[in-house]
Amino acid sequence: MKRGRLAVAMSVVAISAALLVATQAQAQVAPFAILTPNHGPVGTVFQVSINDNGTVFQCNSRGDTAQFIWDQPNMSFPRFTNITVPTGSFIGSHTKLQVRCTRVTGLTYNLQGIFNVEQPATTTTTTRPTTTTTTTRPATTTTTTRPGQTTTSTTSTSTTSSTVADSSTTTSLPPTTVTIPGGKGVRLDRPAAPPGGDANANGEGCDSGAPVNLSIDGDSVGHTVADAKGKFLASLVLPDLPVGRYTLTAKCGPTLTTDIDIVLASALGPPSGTLALLMFFLLIGFALVRRQIARDLDRKYDNKV
């Protein structure tokens, strides 16, 4: 009977501990690569970092081995800093960039990065030709003759010029706003993130090859370029905003929107109710074990007396 009670108590403790460990493991976020900046034309210099459950590093400690591989054209860089977008890279999203890091501790990362190569900035100016108007009045000569005297008066030629200066005219059409129910226009890889956290966005419905500017409440959080089918993929760096629900806007010809919740980092972990229940079972288990041990000691003492 004693052994049965003790076994039940130990089972309760073991099951509660296993549930606690499993719940904490589920709260872990998979490591991902961050490219800063993550967009720009050929020749842009960027840095690479790794976010491992909130810890951001560049794999540049003594003993670390870093390797970054650009997809097309295939180029390898033995570092995560001062990487230049190679000449000959195609315009659009490069989604198969390899980010590899082996820490001095033996921990290995093999991740993928995303960079959007954009068209170089161009300026288009429409100029109206200069128009010059010249009005010339012919010279007039009047001669008056008196006896013994001749008087001559001449009206000189006058020229009037008017010039129309060069002018540039830009006509902008108002943007079209497209809000698609259920976030089908632009989607996020997570429904919530902490202030200043990271997220990835992808969407469709943009103009072909159009620049995509993503923002939250007017603060820019990411840039990319849509492909020929109007689809895009971008990494976002969220601003340090108060907790609440916000609208993510993607302007790419049309304007696409979706919602994102900014929450505290603790809110992304396991629910407090689950932790309270686990702690309850742990306390019950320890109490049963302690009670059984105390009874056994009392009986041993009585037998000796």
Side-chain angles (χ1 to χ4, degrees):
M1 188 68 178
K2 297 178 187 177
R3 294 181 179 178
R5 291 179 181 176
L6 184 60
V8 170
M10 294 300 293
S11 298
V12 171
V13 173
I15 293 173
S16 300
L19 288 174
L20 181 61
V21 171
T23 305
Q24 290 177 342
Q26 291 178 353
Q28 300 295 320
V29 178
F32 57 93
I34 304 172
L35 276 62
T36 308
N38 61 359
H39 64 95
V42 170
T44 300
V45 178
F46 61 92
Q47 321 293 326
V48 180
S49 304
I50 294 176
N51 187 323
D52 188 354
N53 201 33
T55 301
V56 180
F57 60 93
Q58 285 195 314
C59 196
N60 57 2
S61 300
R62 179 176 296 180
D64 291 349
T65 302
Q67 184 183 28
F68 178 82
I69 302 177
W70 188 267
D71 54 359
Q72 296 181 14
N74 185 273
M75 292 187 67
S76 178
F77 300 86
R79 61 186 183 278
F80 280 3
T81 58
N82 298 324
I83 300 175
T84 303
V85 177
T87 301
S89 300
F90 64 84
I91 304 299
S93 297
H94 291 249
T95 59
K96 297 181 179 179
L97 309 180
Q98 299 296 315
V99 178
R100 299 173 181 174
C101 172
T102 301
R103 305 303 303 271
V104 67
T105 58
L107 189 61
T108 301
Y109 299 85
N110 191 0
L111 309 173
Q112 284 191 337
I114 300 173
F115 193 97
N116 295 283
V117 178
E118 302 172 347
Q119 290 278 8
T122 57
T123 302
T124 303
T125 303
T126 303
T127 304
R128 294 166 53 186
T130 301
T131 303
T132 302
T133 304
T134 303
T135 304
T136 303
R137 290 164 50 184
T140 303
T141 302
T142 304
T143 302
T144 304
T145 302
R146 295 181 180 177
Q149 182 179 4
T150 299
T151 302
T152 301
S153 63
T154 302
T155 302
S156 61
T157 301
S158 63
T159 301
T160 302
S161 298
S162 62
T163 302
V164 179
D166 293 346
S167 62
S168 298
T169 303
T170 303
T171 303
S172 300
L173 296 176
T176 302
T177 300
V178 179
T179 302
I180 302 177
K184 295 181 180 179
V186 56
R187 295 172 292 276
L188 297 169
D189 64 344
R190 63 201 71 182
D198 301 293
N200 294 314
N202 65 85
E204 56 185 322
C206 299
D207 292 344
S208 177
V212 182
N213 297 313
L214 298 107
S215 61
I216 296 179
D217 281 1
D219 292 332
S220 178
V221 296
H223 302 273
T224 186
V225 176
D227 61 17
K229 295 182 179 180
K231 298 181 179 181
F232 68 87
L233 182 66
S235 299
L236 308 180
V237 179
L238 305 178
D240 190 6
L241 295 171
V243 172
R245 173 161 290 186
Y246 296 86
T247 298
L248 172 68
T249 301
K251 294 184 177 180
C252 53
T255 299
L256 312 178
T257 63
T258 192
D259 292 332
I260 182 172
D261 292 324
I262 301 298
V263 299
L264 296 177
S266 59
L268 298 176
S272 58
T274 303
L275 287 177
L277 184 62
L278 293 176
M279 293 302 298
F280 172 76
F281 279 112
L282 283 173
L283 292 175
I284 290 294
F286 282 121
L288 291 174
V289 172
R290 182 178 179 182
R291 183 179 179 183
Q292 185 63 44
I293 293 174
R295 286 183 177 181
D296 291 344
L297 292 176
D298 289 340
R299 290 180 180 179
K300 287 181 179 180
Y301 178 77
D302 292 342
N303 292 334
K304 288 180 178 181
V305 174

